[in-house]
Structures are given as C-alpha cells and as structure tokens.
Amino acid sequence: MEFVNIAGASRQGWPSVIAETPRVRVEIVPELGGKIVSMYDKAAGKEWLVDSGSRPLRRVPYGSRFVDADMSGWDECFPTVDACRYPGAEDILLPDHGELWAVPWTWTREAGELRMSAKGTVWPYTFSRTLKWLDESTLRLAYRVDNHADQPLKFVWAAHPQLAIGEPTEIAVPPAMDRWLCVFGTGAFKEGREYAWNETGVRELAGTISGNARKFYFSGPAPQGYIRLTGITSGARLACSFPNNKVPHLGIWIDEGLFNNRPVCALEPAIGYYDRPDLADERRAAGVVPPRGALDWHLDLAFGGS
C-alpha cells in the first residue's frame, strides 16, 4: 500500500510527510527528529498522539532536556533514555532521551515504503526507521542500526510515543506479564517496588491530571511481544506487537501532569533493561550492534475499534 507525500504538507510551518490509508492518517516531520506528529484513526475519530498544544514545534539544541521541547508526538530514544556516560567511556556523554530526537532526519520513498534515517553524533552509526502499511489498519515500523565503528555499539532503545489519554483507558498485556517494576514513581508509586498488573493505577488510566507520573518495566524479558490501549468511552484501540526475541523488554510511561501538561501514556517496547546503557551493560542486558555490523527489529501498530 503506497505512502502518499502531499506536496506542500506542513505542521506549524515544518515540512511533513503524509502516510495514509482509507482508515488511518499518519504525519511525520523529518526535520524534527523524524517525529511522528499525528496518528489519526479516521474510522474511530481518534487522534492517538498528543499535539504540542501551547508549546511550538521547534528544533532544540543537541543535548537539550526532553522537557525543554514540545513533548508531543512519537520520538525514538537511542542510544539511551536517561542521560548518562557511554559504557566504559567517561568522556562520551549521551544526552537525555538520546541523540536522535533533536537532530534532523533524511527521508526517501521507495516501493510503497518511507525510509527515514539519522547519523550518530558521539558514535559512528546510522539509525533507520522504515514505515510500511501491512494493510489499511496496520502500520509496520521497521528499524535498523548500522555500526560503522570497529568496536561493538552498546545501547538502549525505546519507542517513545506520547499517546493522548483524554478518556478513561485500559492497558492490556498478555496474562503471564503480571509483575511490573516501578523505575520512576510519585504519589502512590515508589521506585524500586514491584506492582501487580491488576493494582489500581497500573493498567487503568483515568485520563485526568493528578500531578503525578510513573514508569514500569515488566520484571524481566517479556514472554510475549504485545500491548494494547483501549479507550473505554470511544472503544478505539491501538495494539502494538513486536518480536520479543529481538525486542525483549517492555516499559510503560504514564504522565498525569508532572511533566506534560496533559495526561499521556507511552507504550515503550525496548531493547536494553532499563533506560541507561551503562547500567544495562552492568546487568548484561544492553543492546549490542557488532563491529561493522547491523541489527534490525520492528513494531506493528494495529488500529481498531469503532
């Protein structure tokens, strides 16, 4: 199914690319870190990504904090989520939310696919993301990292969609995923504690501002690669599936007004456990791209509901 580049399309003055089927319209701004700024399910009448609101879309300087930008849409966190030193190299500083969200990406369209890529700054690598419709309701995001160095590239990657939670919403995961580690928490949730999936505030989102935020990781490798959001009022669904042999971890970020000014949730399939490659490397849980080698994986997004 072909991608459509609408000549002159833009978002707040930034040139954008449109990928559209009869069911779903997706818009990307390559110059802003390859940001996906909109995923609109036309059949359900549902915009899944939070927009920038009163914060203008703008390119911030490399090394900026994520909270100093627009905090909207879908970004890629690579080669870290939290700012840290590169494993074993104190002179290499990896910025907050990684390198890629604050640099322009290039893009090409070939054979119905949209390929976007960016170069590493502190390490010689190329990060690529290719978007392709599998059917009118299912979008594949295929990733590849090419390491141009003679040493292995150690990293953490996490998808980082700021999904708008404007209504009561339920998160669904496979039944075996019943224990979740809190790695950041305020209010009722404490960092370092495990929570059962059915505890209040883990799988059920109110869609309101509480002033709190929390992040969970499934405790250990994910036994299955699947997570889904369902709007209780609208019935709209967004399901994300991934090969857990390549993407072994799953995180969930919930912000009810602590950082963002609207309630958001990020479903974060991840490589590396968790959030920092230096700590992941100590746990032997970092992603690794071989010297002069490559690594690939993918996510499938299925849009559904009324």
Side-chain angles (χ1 to χ4, degrees), residues 171-294:
I171 311 174
V173 297
M177 301 178 72
D178 60 344
R179 301 297 298 177
W180 293 75
L181 175 66
C182 180
V183 299
F184 176 89
T186 63
F189 294 93
K190 308 301 179 185
E191 181 177 342
R193 179 181 165 186
E194 281 196 348
Y195 293 86
W197 181 245
N198 62 1
E199 289 193 43
T200 301
V202 180
R203 65 181 179 88
E204 296 177 349
L205 309 178
T208 57
I209 292 292
S210 70
N212 292 309
R214 50 202 181 272
K215 182 170 184 178
F216 305 103
Y217 271 93
F218 177 70
S219 299
Q224 293 175 257
Y226 180 81
I227 188 169
R228 184 183 70 233
L229 282 182
T230 302
I232 302 302
T233 303
S234 67
R237 298 190 306 273
L238 176 63
C240 177
S241 57
F242 50 94
N244 62 335
N245 63 326
K246 292 190 173 185
V247 183
H249 301 290
L250 179 60
I252 301 171
W253 167 249
I254 300 163
D255 183 357
E256 297 172 334
L258 183 63
F259 298 105
N260 214 316
N261 58 4
R262 284 161 292 174
V264 297
C265 172
L267 308 181
E268 298 190 3
I271 301 174
Y273 184 74
Y274 53 83
D275 287 359
R276 288 174 48 171
D278 56 345
L279 299 181
D281 188 48
E282 292 176 4
R283 301 182 177 97
R284 298 184 180 180
V288 179
V289 187
R292 302 290 174 180

Side-chain angles (χ1 to χ4, degrees), residues 8-299:
S10 67
R11 177 64 62 111
Q12 294 187 25
W14 293 94
S16 64
V17 183
I18 307 295
E20 189 168 19
T21 73
R23 166 102 198 195
V24 185
R25 182 182 189 272
V26 175
E27 184 175 6
I28 308 102
V29 178
E31 292 185 41
L32 296 179
K35 182 190 291 291
I36 304 173
V37 294
S38 174
M39 296 192 310
Y40 181 67
D41 186 335
K42 293 181 280 186
K46 174 81 169 183
E47 172 57 64
W48 281 102
L49 291 173
V50 71
D51 63 25
S52 62
S54 61
R55 300 178 296 256
L57 288 175
R58 62 188 182 93
R59 187 185 302 149
V60 298
Y62 175 90
S64 296
R65 299 182 308 160
F66 188 74
V67 294
D68 293 332
D70 53 86
M71 298 183 67
S72 68
W74 180 311
D75 298 289
E76 307 294 343
C77 293
F78 186 93
T80 189
V81 179
D82 293 340
C84 67
R85 303 288 177 177
Y86 184 80
E90 288 298 313
D91 59 328
I92 299 179
L93 177 63
L94 302 177
D96 181 42
H97 281 60
E99 298 191 305
L100 301 177
W101 66 276
V103 299
W105 291 28
T106 59
W107 70 275
T108 58
R109 184 182 60 183
E110 296 180 8
E113 299 181 351
L114 176 66
R115 183 179 185 273
M116 312 181 70
S117 63
K119 301 286 188 181
T121 298
V122 300
W123 191 278
Y125 67 83
T126 302
F127 183 99
S128 303
R129 184 186 66 198
T130 299
L131 282 71
K132 179 181 180 178
W133 292 106
L134 302 183
D135 56 47
E136 70 174 34
S137 299
T138 309
L139 179 66
R140 171 161 291 182
L141 280 63
Y143 296 88
R144 177 183 171 103
V145 178
D146 289 273
N147 179 13
H148 308 303
D150 293 324
Q151 299 79 36
L153 168 59
K154 299 176 181 179
F155 71 92
V156 163
W157 164 81
H160 194 57
Q162 296 283 285
L163 298 166
I165 307 298
E167 61 178 306
T169 300
E170 183 176 54
I171 311 174
V173 297
M177 301 178 72
D178 60 344
R179 301 297 298 177
W180 293 75
L181 175 66
C182 180
V183 299
F184 176 89
T186 63
F189 294 93
K190 308 301 179 185
E191 181 177 342
R193 179 181 165 186
E194 281 196 348
Y195 293 86
W197 181 245
N198 62 1
E199 289 193 43
T200 301
V202 180
R203 65 181 179 88
E204 296 177 349
L205 309 178
T208 57
I209 292 292
S210 70
N212 292 309
R214 50 202 181 272
K215 182 170 184 178
F216 305 103
Y217 271 93
F218 177 70
S219 299
Q224 293 175 257
Y226 180 81
I227 188 169
R228 184 183 70 233
L229 282 182
T230 302
I232 302 302
T233 303
S234 67
R237 298 190 306 273
L238 176 63
C240 177
S241 57
F242 50 94
N244 62 335
N245 63 326
K246 292 190 173 185
V247 183
H249 301 290
L250 179 60
I252 301 171
W253 167 249
I254 300 163
D255 183 357
E256 297 172 334
L258 183 63
F259 298 105
N260 214 316
N261 58 4
R262 284 161 292 174
V264 297
C265 172
L267 308 181
E268 298 190 3
I271 301 174
Y273 184 74
Y274 53 83
D275 287 359
R276 288 174 48 171
D278 56 345
L279 299 181
D281 188 48
E282 292 176 4
R283 301 182 177 97
R284 298 184 180 180
V288 179
V289 187
R292 302 290 174 180
L295 196 68
D296 63 82
W297 66 93
H298 69 268
L299 307 177

